[in-house]
Amino acid sequence: MAELLKVSGVCSGYGDVRVLHDVDLAVNTGEIVCLIGSNGAGKTTLLRTLSGVVRQSAGSITFLDRDISGSAPQQIVKLGVVHVPEGRRLFAGMTVRENLLMGAYLRTDGRAIINRDLDFVLTIFPKLAERLNQDASTMSGGEQQMCAVGRGIMANPMLLMIDELSLGLSPKLVGELSKALVEINKSGLAILLVEQDVATALKLAHRGFVIDTGRMVLSGLTHELAKNGTVREAYLGAAAV
Ligand SMILES: Nc1ncnc2c1ncn2[C@@H]1O[C@H](COP(=O)(O)OP(=O)(O)O)[C@@H](O)[C@H]1O
Ligand SMILES: [Mg+2]
């Protein structure tokens, strides 16, 4: 598998406050990788750094062997790295269709291909097809998350980064969204999934990284992480084996 994203020795933070310390992470083509860790560990900060919203102070980020450290957010989206933010952040007062099409606003590959991708999103999330003309902000939390993921797909990414897929959603909806992510991944997209719900993340992803107070402390295949004593004790609520 080819290496899609490679993060080496990245430090970043806000002003003088350093949040990420010497962080390494990699995502290969075709993979679902999860990034797990407690509240405040630095997961969102890492995604925001990868998106170019937060500036790194050290280290390198390459995407398809191209150095994207310090690139502008729109440039990073155009290269194929798209961030579905925590809390959905849909455009209120705009319909579901308009929200989905906003995801495609930087694209220059033509209406026909954009419409094909819209059809793909509606196949993955049939609930959105029934609500295309509804104000997106009036939908349930689960439907809004579907719309946020769909908007991300409309940007035609190679790597979709999703921050807290399951936050605030019922187990049934988390199941639906998880199934959708597997389908999206099978269509060829790599996914970097950030989750506080460690059990869900380990089930969905092929490999995982564990971040603790801004440092990567563990990584590996998810079926191995799920058996790891530290992971079980700290994140799965089980006694260490
Ligand atoms: N805009 C910000 N300004 C200053 N500090 C922040 C900001 N956003 C997050 N932080 C701090 O960075 C640390 C990591 O936060 P965050 O990346 O949101 O963690 P996570 O997503 O893992 O819950 C926390 O200590 C948090 O208080
Ligand atoms: Mg977060």
Side-chain angles (χ1 to χ4, degrees), residues 1-9 23-33 50 60-68 79-81 158-159 188-191 207 209 219:
M1 266 191 293
E3 203 164 54
L4 198 58
L5 176 78
K6 188 172 175 61
V7 178
S8 307
V23 162
D24 293 343
L25 175 142
V27 180
N28 297 321
T29 51
E31 265 191 325
I32 303 181
V33 169
L50 297 176
S60 80
I61 304 170
T62 58
F63 184 68
L64 287 173
D65 293 328
R66 183 172 168 161
D67 186 0
I68 59 166
L79 285 172
V81 181
M158 294 177 70
L159 174 65
L189 251 79
I191 296 172
R207 287 193 307 126
F209 290 80
S219 67

Side-chain angles (χ1 to χ4, degrees), residues 189-207:
L189 251 79
I191 296 172
L192 176 57
L193 176 67
V194 161
E195 267 294 337
Q196 275 181 56
D197 177 355
V198 172
T200 294
L202 291 178
K203 257 187 265 165
L204 257 175
H206 307 113
R207 287 193 307 126

Side-chain angles (χ1 to χ4, degrees), residues 18-107:
R18 182 174 285 190
V19 174
L20 300 181
H21 306 270
D22 207 15
V23 162
D24 293 343
L25 175 142
V27 180
N28 297 321
T29 51
E31 265 191 325
I32 303 181
V33 169
C34 65
L35 172 63
I36 59 183
S38 314
N39 194 18
K43 303 179 298 296
T44 297
T45 302
L46 179 54
L47 291 196
R48 299 185 82 215
T49 306
L50 297 176
S51 305
V53 176
V54 169
R55 276 292 167 99
Q56 77 212 65
S57 52
S60 80
I61 304 170
T62 58
F63 184 68
L64 287 173
D65 293 328
R66 183 172 168 161
D67 186 0
I68 59 166
S69 324
S71 296
Q74 342 41 310
Q75 201 55 39
I76 292 173
V77 171
K78 277 190 176 170
L79 285 172
V81 181
V82 170
H83 182 173
V84 179
E86 185 173 355
R88 294 51 142 170
R89 307 257 179 88
L90 295 178
F91 302 104
M94 287 174 66
T95 64
V96 170
R97 182 198 298 277
E98 286 165 343
N99 266 278
L100 292 172
L101 289 174
M102 280 303 282
Y105 87 109
L106 286 173
R107 290 175 64 172

